[in-house]
């Protein structure tokens, strides 16, 4: 970094797990961060799905630099083998991290970043561009706007605030915005059996979308309907082959995933969930209830429901970056070099390669997108991946290119087979073939997971130490617990790729 900007802080957009990890890495290197969080607390997006239990243990949800910052304060790590809920991730980890003086002094809550640019120049100006500080425009809760000058920007703002629309072709269906304003379409992943229970009791609830998040929502609704007669559940998916929605059942190499699908299949086959396949949403009509119209092979079908839960995934908000020179993959809107590694239409056994600053860089020097937002529209993400991303980025910004280039991702025998509880949001349904071959695409939520991968062989094969690759921590007693499932896989956009089946 030039001497001209050495006195300026480095901006971090978003105070979630990856954003705070970036701050911890900066503090550890003696660099001043400034953190802008749109919510009124750290981890505000995580709190929205606080009732969801991760499939990854605490051991792999704690950033190493953050741990080193926390330990001198007397902080005690949770039991590392246990599986946290989202709320616990905030309460037991993010809140204590935010209270560390070096972090709290840099943290600006209720501060919405509305634009990022270069001081004194728009996107079209090139002369001495790299020598100009970044301008980060921030709107506070009281409506006041402040321009901050910083020497670098790490955007870890995530994708939670930008859910995918429910209509076809990646666009909202007619009347979708009106239905949202009327409160007839919920946020993703509502707490069906907890805080949001009253919204669904005794009502006709429609879930649109496929993937494990849809499955968990449906399982929770099934439990609610069991205890609250009069609650009716419908499920609409774009795919034509219902069997692919349930995974491999007892034959699944990952038993937890198999159980999830088997429970869901049972609810459908027993008539507790009314499944509509080959359903493409075209319009919403708001009245006393919500009329949801879609095309099917048999013609138009209208479902009259009381409330709709979307499970169609998310996409990045790129509007705030219009004056930044970005180089994005044209398919998933991830950094160009990362896109081919994570294309969601190609899922099989494997992991995304460790990657850092060189893969995440953009034409505007010292600007990076990290965390879930770096995956663009790809639905699967692992916190450990984000932690390694920001470690490398901070090393590069500190001028330690050797450390920046030495990327590594220590996944504990980790991986996941094809996430087959899903389908593409926007594939033809005439014969179902193309869609059924596409695993979780834009129709799933960002999904965090730790699933066991054998050190040799394919999914379900014995590991080198003789243990079973099928062992996955999961509760199988009582009410099915919602989980976020998924892990990035490194496959190319329809180009040649070596897969381990």
């Amino acid at each position: 970094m030039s001497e001209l900007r050495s006195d300026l802080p480095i901006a971090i957009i978003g105070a979630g797990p990856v954003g705070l990890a970036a701050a911890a890495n900066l503090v550890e290197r003696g660099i001043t961060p400034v953190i802008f969080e749109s919510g009124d607390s750290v981890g505000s997006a995580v709190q929205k799905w606080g009732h969801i239990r991760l499939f990854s243990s605490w051991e792999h949800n704690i950033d190493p630099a953050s741990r080193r910052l926390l330990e001198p304060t007397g902080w005690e790590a949770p039991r590392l083998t246990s599986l946290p809920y989202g709320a616990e991730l905030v309460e037991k980890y993010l809140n204590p991290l935010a209270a560390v003086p070096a972090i709290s002094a840099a943290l600006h809550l209720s501060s919405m970043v509305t634009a990022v640019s270069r001081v004194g120049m728009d996107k079209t100006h090139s002369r001495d561009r790299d020598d100009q500080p970044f301008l980060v425009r921030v709107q506070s809760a009281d409506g006041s706007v402040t321009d901050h000058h910083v020497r670098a920007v790490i955007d870890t703002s995530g994708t939670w605030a930008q859910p995918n629309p429910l209509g076809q072709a990646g666009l909202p269906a007619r009347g979708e915005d009106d239905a949202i304003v009327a409160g007839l379409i919920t946020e993703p992943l509502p707490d069906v059996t907890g805080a949001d229970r009253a919204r669904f009791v005794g009502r006709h609830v429609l879930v649109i979308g496929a993937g494990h998040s849809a499955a968990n929502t449906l399982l929770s609704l099934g439990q609610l309907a069991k205890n609250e007669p009069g609650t009716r559940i419908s499920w609409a998916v774009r795919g034509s082959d219902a069997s692919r929605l349930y995974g491999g059942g007892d034959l699944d190499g990952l038993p937890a995933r198999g159980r999830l699908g088997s429970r869901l299949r049972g609810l459908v086959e027993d008539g507790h969930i009314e499944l509509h396949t080959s359903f493409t949403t075209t319009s919403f009509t708001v009245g006393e209830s919500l009329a949801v119209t879609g095309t099917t092979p048999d013609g138009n079908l209208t479902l009259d429901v009381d409330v709709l839960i979307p499970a169609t995934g998310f996409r990045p908000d790129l509007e705030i970056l219009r004056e930044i020179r970005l180089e994005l993959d044209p398919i998933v809107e991830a950094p160009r070099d990362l896109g081919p590694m994570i294309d969601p239409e190609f899922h099989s056994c494997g992991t995304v390669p460790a990657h850092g600053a060189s893969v995440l860089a953009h034409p505007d020097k010292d600007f990076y997108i990290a965390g879930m937002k770096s995956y663009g529209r790809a639905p699967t993400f692992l916190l450990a991946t984000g932690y390694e991303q920001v470690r490398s980025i901070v090393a590069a910004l500190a001028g330690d290119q050797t450390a920046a280039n030495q990327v590594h991702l220590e996944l504990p025998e980790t991986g996941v087979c094809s996430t087959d509880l899903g389908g593409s949001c926007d594939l033809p349904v005439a014969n179902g073939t193309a869609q059924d071959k596409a695993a979780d695409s834009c129709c799933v939520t960002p999904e965090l997971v730790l699933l066991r991968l054998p050190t040799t062989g394919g999914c379900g094969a014995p590991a080198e130490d003789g243990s079973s690759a099928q062992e996955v921590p999961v509760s199988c007693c009582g009410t099915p617990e919602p989980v976020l499932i998924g892990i990035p896989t490194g496959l190319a956009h329809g180009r040649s790729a070596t897969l381990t089946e």
Side-chain angles (χ1 to χ4, degrees):
M1 292 178 290
S2 70
E3 291 298 322
L4 177 66
R5 296 178 289 161
S6 62
D7 61 326
L8 295 177
I10 291 176
I12 299 169
I13 306 175
V18 178
L20 291 183
N25 277 273
L26 287 169
V27 168
E28 193 169 55
R29 286 184 173 269
I31 302 172
T32 302
V34 57
I35 312 162
F36 302 111
E37 165 58 45
S38 62
D40 59 7
S41 63
V42 297
S44 59
V46 178
Q47 290 177 339
K48 296 290 183 67
W49 48 266
H51 56 288
I52 301 294
R53 192 171 196 174
L54 278 70
F55 244 168
S56 49
S57 66
W58 272 110
E59 180 182 3
H60 308 289
N61 289 314
I62 298 174
D63 164 62
S66 300
R67 175 193 289 274
R68 292 190 292 270
L69 205 60
L70 280 165
E71 285 175 341
T73 69
W75 173 79
E76 294 184 6
R79 185 166 57 89
L80 295 182
T81 56
S82 63
L83 310 175
Y85 287 89
E88 292 177 313
L89 192 69
V90 175
E91 178 185 352
K92 297 182 179 181
Y93 172 52
L94 298 184
N95 283 342
L97 182 57
V100 173
I103 301 294
S104 63
L107 183 60
H108 298 256
L109 299 174
S110 301
S111 298
M112 171 72 73
V113 173
T114 59
V116 182
S117 188
R118 291 276 190 180
V119 173
M121 56 180 60
D122 62 17
K123 183 186 289 188
T124 66
H125 286 76
S126 298
R127 181 176 298 175
D128 298 325
R129 186 174 185 86
D130 289 349
D131 294 327
Q132 292 302 310
F134 288 92
L135 183 154
V136 179
R137 179 161 292 176
V138 179
Q139 181 174 326
S140 300
D142 62 5
S144 61
V145 175
T146 305
D147 289 343
H148 297 260
H149 293 185
V150 299
R151 56 175 159 167
V153 177
I154 307 172
D155 184 353
T156 64
S157 56
T159 58
W160 178 264
Q162 193 88 356
N164 281 323
L166 292 161
Q168 61 176 325
L171 303 174
R174 293 189 304 275
E176 185 169 336
D177 291 341
D178 293 337
I180 294 173
V181 171
L184 299 175
I185 297 178
T186 74
E187 286 192 341
L189 289 171
D191 189 359
V192 170
T193 59
D196 301 319
R197 178 187 181 93
R199 193 170 186 180
F200 306 105
V201 168
R203 310 189 78 188
H204 183 191
V205 184
L206 171 65
V207 176
I208 293 183
H212 292 90
S213 296
N216 281 301
T217 297
L218 289 160
L219 289 174
S220 295
L221 286 169
Q223 184 67 26
L224 181 69
K226 178 180 178 181
N227 297 325
E228 298 287 350
T231 303
R232 180 183 170 193
I233 310 165
S234 293
W235 180 23
V237 296
R238 189 74 57 87
S240 60
D241 183 1
S243 65
R244 292 194 60 83
L245 300 172
Y246 309 125
D250 293 339
L251 301 178
D252 199 308
L254 299 169
R257 184 180 62 185
R259 284 193 293 270
L260 191 72
S262 296
R263 292 190 192 114
L264 185 58
R265 180 193 292 272
L267 288 174
V268 173
E269 292 182 348
D270 291 345
H272 299 297
I273 295 175
E274 182 180 317
L275 173 62
H276 301 274
T277 59
S278 301
F279 186 94
T280 300
T281 307
T282 57
S283 69
F284 297 95
T285 303
V286 175
E288 292 185 2
S289 60
L290 179 64
V292 183
T293 300
T295 60
T296 75
D298 297 323
N300 288 343
L301 173 66
T302 297
L303 305 174
D304 290 311
V305 303
D306 296 307
V307 63
L308 186 154
I309 301 174
T312 50
F314 301 85
R315 59 180 60 176
D317 178 10
L318 301 173
E319 183 63 27
I320 65 171
L321 307 178
R322 286 183 62 86
E323 296 305 323
I324 293 296
R325 294 181 177 181
L326 302 177
E327 190 171 15
L328 298 174
D329 177 83
I331 298 176
V332 296
E333 296 180 324
R336 182 175 291 276
D337 290 342
L338 179 60
M341 305 176 187
I342 58 174
D343 188 330
E345 288 209 4
F346 301 93
H347 281 262
S348 187
C349 296
T351 59
V352 66
H355 58 277
S358 62
V359 169
L360 300 169
H362 291 276
D364 252 327
K365 185 176 181 294
D366 294 341
F367 175 85
Y368 297 92
I369 300 174
M372 186 65 227
K373 189 171 182 175
S374 73
Y375 272 48
R377 299 191 185 201
T380 51
F381 177 73
L382 189 67
L383 277 181
T385 301
Y387 296 155
E388 178 60 11
Q389 287 179 337
V390 295
R391 184 208 61 78
S392 173
I393 289 169
V394 169
L397 292 173
D400 188 352
Q401 203 56 51
T402 299
N405 291 339
Q406 291 177 345
V407 292
H408 52 85
L409 190 59
E410 296 180 1
L411 301 180
E413 301 175 349
T414 303
V416 66
C417 293
S418 172
T419 48
D420 48 9
L421 275 180
S424 172
C425 261
D426 188 32
L427 289 176
V429 296
N431 56 27
T433 303
Q435 180 174 2
D436 294 338
K437 289 182 179 178
D440 294 317
S441 181
C442 54
C443 283
V444 290
T445 15
E447 299 178 334
L448 310 175
V449 68
L450 172 66
L451 296 181
R452 191 170 172 82
L453 174 73
T455 53
T456 60
C459 293
E464 287 181 347
D465 62 2
S467 62
S468 170
Q470 301 177 6
E471 298 169 7
V472 183
V474 64
S475 171
C476 57
C477 304
T479 304
E481 295 184 343
V483 293
L484 293 176
I485 301 178
I487 190 172
T489 55
L491 304 179
H493 292 141
R495 296 183 279 270
S496 61
T498 301
L499 311 184
T500 304
E501 298 287 356

